[in-house]
Amino acid sequence: MNFLDEIKNLKEQLKSTDKFDVNFNFNNIVITGMGGSGIVGNIFQEYYANIPVISIGDYGIPSFVNEKTLFIAVSYSGNTEETIDNVEDAKKKGAHVRAITSGGKLATIVENPIIIPSGLQPRSALGYMLMPLFNTFSAFSEDDVNEAYNVLNDMDKNHDEMKSQAFKIYENSYIPIIYGSKPFKSVAYRWKTQFNENAKTFAFYSYFPELNHNDTMPLKSAYRIKEYLFYAFESDNARINQRINITEEITGEQFTIIKSPTSNYFAKLFYLIHYADYLTYELALVRNVDPTDVSTIEELKKKLA
Amino acid sequence: MNFLDEIKNLKEQLKSTDKFDVNFNFNNIVITGMGGSGIVGNIFQEYYANIPVISIGDYGIPSFVNEKTLFIAVSYSGNTEETIDNVEDAKKKGAHVRAITSGGKLATIVENPIIIPSGLQPRSALGYMLMPLFNTFSAFSEDDVNEAYNVLNDMDKNHDEMKSQAFKIYENSYIPIIYGSKPFKSVAYRWKTQFNENAKTFAFYSYFPELNHNDTMPLKSAYRIKEYLFYAFESDNARINQRINITEEITGEQFTIIKSPTSNYFAKLFYLIHYADYLTYELALVRNVDPTDVSTIEELKKKLA
């Protein structure tokens, strides 16, 4: 599958019916993963709060993990060093360990893993990795899934807006800064990583209202400010939109506001994700870099092995 | 107190004996705060994991919050909109609400708040805000406190290294990128916010090993890379130091490594915090900006009110 086909595959991934059997008592959920797999835990943590959910992306697990913990490891390759390390720790603590992976070592050390299709770039398998969590903890309706499917399908047919954004970034050698807000702070981070991996540019992120307590100062007066392009997501929370407007007004900086064509949470989540898929893919093309190339990351893994 | 005296005051704050009475059952801790007060929850969450600790910096509280939650609000001014909003929500859910503040509305709506000295910039009161948490949950020994005091005192006498770093940033109009690592990821974020508020420059952060899954790509080849200065904290974890070295080797970028003169966690935490206090203070001076000026943030609060 070429990379454009991988991007277009996202809408099909929403149809996944994979789910975990969680028919036992647990007091908290710990999700672990790195990079393109780690974002899964961040999105889920931001969405689900009926019990404490801790998303980790690091060596070592929290000391509270025990037999009352549902411990979910997400690694597309199944061989992520940090994640394997976490699973071994969690098993020693007696946690209920589950896994989402396309194979690798993870599939062999965790019972009944959810096996998702292999052969994609990990960052192109976000739907496959996320749906089992949604299906297990808060199934979306068929209407939600259809709405999201249609929104993604429209983008797959026409993404001129993202192409034009990409050209603007390319022309000016902009560094994107993405300001997310609840419940899409983690999506702002996804944008950052897509810029890094697909387009090989730096990108940074923060969120409203937190940035009003720090970034707002340099937004008014910092050197190099004209080298950045600022994105913000339109919010359903009027107070957040007010903060965006007032921040623009008092700093004199204009943000590029990303508006979603839908108000459905599930569809909006995937719209915002897919926006950056196309934006960063198009930026790679216009920059003449290969969006699939992550050779530096692979080289690092080899040297660490 | 002038700003330099505020910085020098940090070592005295370590002597705080404030603590909470937590003589009741709770299953989780939620800490809330924004900006210079919010970092307190992030540092504590990274340190303490005997039970789930969730640090929030936003409107709205997790739905799991109930009468088994210890809910701690940190706001230096006591009037932070988001934090007051959180406290009102937490009280409705029956949580045990505690507060750390110098006064304001927070001191009036939470019983028995820990009242810390007023008159400082919130970001200069980090010791006062953090110590009650440490004292309550994992008291450090007198030796730990003395070690940290001495380390800070040495920096107060001589911070030529930070002054020279500040001049290097100034001369090149660098944008600092700080790569933290456990248990000091939150300190990398503190550095970022100190650059923003004191020096009025942009700054960004990430952490090892996560950045090896994304930032590593642009580190090899991004445009504008020479406009950034990269910091990394030397780690006690050999694997992290290896990652730092290999990342430098394969990307060709040099990181400025911050080494601590102590291996004591408590002293190292405050050394790394204080390093950025001086670095950003000196950068403000050489840039001829007022490190105490946060007028843009204040103006925004007024317009939002």
Side-chain angles (χ1 to χ4, degrees), chain B residues 160-173:
Chain B
D160 288 349
E161 180 183 335
M162 302 78 181
K163 195 169 179 173
S164 129
Q165 286 289 327
F167 191 73
K168 189 174 168 188
I169 293 172
Y170 166 72
E171 254 191 330
N172 298 282
S173 296

Side-chain angles (χ1 to χ4, degrees), chain A residues 220-293:
Chain A
K220 178 74 177 278
S221 58
Y223 50 73
R224 296 203 188 280
I225 193 163
K226 294 301 166 203
E227 301 175 1
Y228 294 91
L229 184 64
F230 298 93
Y231 287 101
F233 302 157
E234 190 180 51
S235 174
D236 292 338
N237 179 343
R239 194 69 172 160
I240 294 295
N241 292 330
Q242 202 183 358
R243 282 183 177 271
I244 295 173
N245 292 338
I246 294 176
T247 305
E248 285 185 312
E249 182 190 330
I250 64 172
T251 65
E253 284 303 310
Q254 287 295 306
F255 301 155
T256 299
I257 309 292
I258 306 299
K259 297 178 186 189
S260 168
T262 171
S263 59
N264 176 297
Y265 163 81
F266 185 76
K268 192 170 178 180
L269 170 69
F270 282 103
Y271 175 84
L272 290 173
I273 288 168
H274 217 40
Y275 196 108
D277 292 345
Y278 277 114
L279 174 52
T280 59
Y281 168 75
E282 291 292 343
L283 182 56
L285 294 194
V286 70
R287 290 194 63 212
N288 204 23
V289 299
D290 176 1
T292 67
D293 169 32

Side-chain angles (χ1 to χ4, degrees), chain B residues 88-220:
Chain B
E88 284 163 356
D89 289 350
K91 286 169 82 171
K92 281 179 205 149
K93 300 283 211 85
H96 299 268
V97 182
R98 300 288 183 273
I100 303 171
T101 182
S102 72
K105 185 173 177 187
L106 189 57
T108 69
I109 62 173
V110 174
E111 282 177 41
N112 297 320
I114 288 180
I115 302 290
I116 59 177
S118 61
L120 299 169
Q121 297 277 338
R123 60 194 178 284
S124 301
L126 181 54
Y128 285 134
M129 294 190 279
L130 194 51
M131 290 310 296
L133 295 172
F134 281 146
N135 292 337
T136 304
F137 294 101
S138 63
F140 287 100
S141 71
E142 207 180 310
D143 282 354
D144 294 326
V145 175
N146 286 340
E147 168 103 12
Y149 187 97
N150 291 335
V151 162
L152 296 188
N153 196 36
D154 287 346
M155 295 171 87
D156 290 338
K157 287 184 194 153
N158 179 348
H159 56 274
D160 288 349
E161 180 183 335
M162 302 78 181
K163 195 169 179 173
S164 129
Q165 286 289 327
F167 191 73
K168 189 174 168 188
I169 293 172
Y170 166 72
E171 254 191 330
N172 298 282
S173 296
Y174 280 136
I175 306 280
I177 297 187
I178 308 102
Y179 290 140
S181 59
K182 202 176 179 177
F184 302 117
K185 295 189 268 195
S186 46
V187 177
Y189 186 69
R190 163 79 177 186
W191 277 49
K192 172 223 170 326
T193 60
Q194 291 289 78
F195 275 111
N196 297 159
E197 289 192 85
N198 290 346
K200 284 76 181 168
T201 64
F202 278 110
F204 305 102
Y205 81 111
S206 185
Y207 69 92
F208 283 97
E210 171 67 10
L211 72 98
N212 282 150
H213 299 264
N214 34 66
D215 264 17
T216 299
M217 289 309 302
L219 271 170
K220 178 73 177 279

Side-chain angles (χ1 to χ4, degrees), chain B residues 7 16 18 28 47 63 68 74 96 128 133 145 147 152 187 190-191 219 254 258 280-281 285 288 294-295:
Chain B
I7 293 176
S16 157
D18 287 336
N28 49 68
Y47 174 73
S63 47
K68 292 284 191 175
V74 185
H96 299 268
Y128 285 134
L133 295 172
V145 175
E147 168 103 12
L152 296 188
V187 177
R190 163 79 177 186
W191 277 49
L219 271 170
Q254 288 295 306
I258 306 298
T280 59
Y281 169 74
L285 295 195
N288 204 23
V294 287
S295 55

Side-chain angles (χ1 to χ4, degrees), chain A residues 1 13 21 82 107 130 133 154 208-209 221 226 234 302:
Chain A
M1 210 185 283
Q13 299 177 19
D21 168 17
E82 301 91 322
L130 195 50
L133 295 171
D154 288 347
F208 284 96
S221 58
K226 294 301 166 203
E234 190 180 51
K302 265 179 214 144

Side-chain angles (χ1 to χ4, degrees), chain A residues 9 20 34 37 56 92 96 98 103 116 133 136 145 157 161 181-182 185 187 199 205 207 217 220 260 264 295 300:
Chain A
N9 185 250
F20 291 113
M34 303 302 303
S37 302
I56 56 175
K92 280 180 207 150
H96 299 267
R98 299 288 182 274
I116 59 176
L133 295 171
T136 305
V145 174
K157 288 183 193 152
E161 179 184 336
S181 57
K182 202 175 179 176
K185 294 188 270 193
V187 177
Y205 81 111
Y207 69 92
M217 289 308 302
K220 178 74 177 278
S260 168
N264 176 297
S295 55
L300 180 131

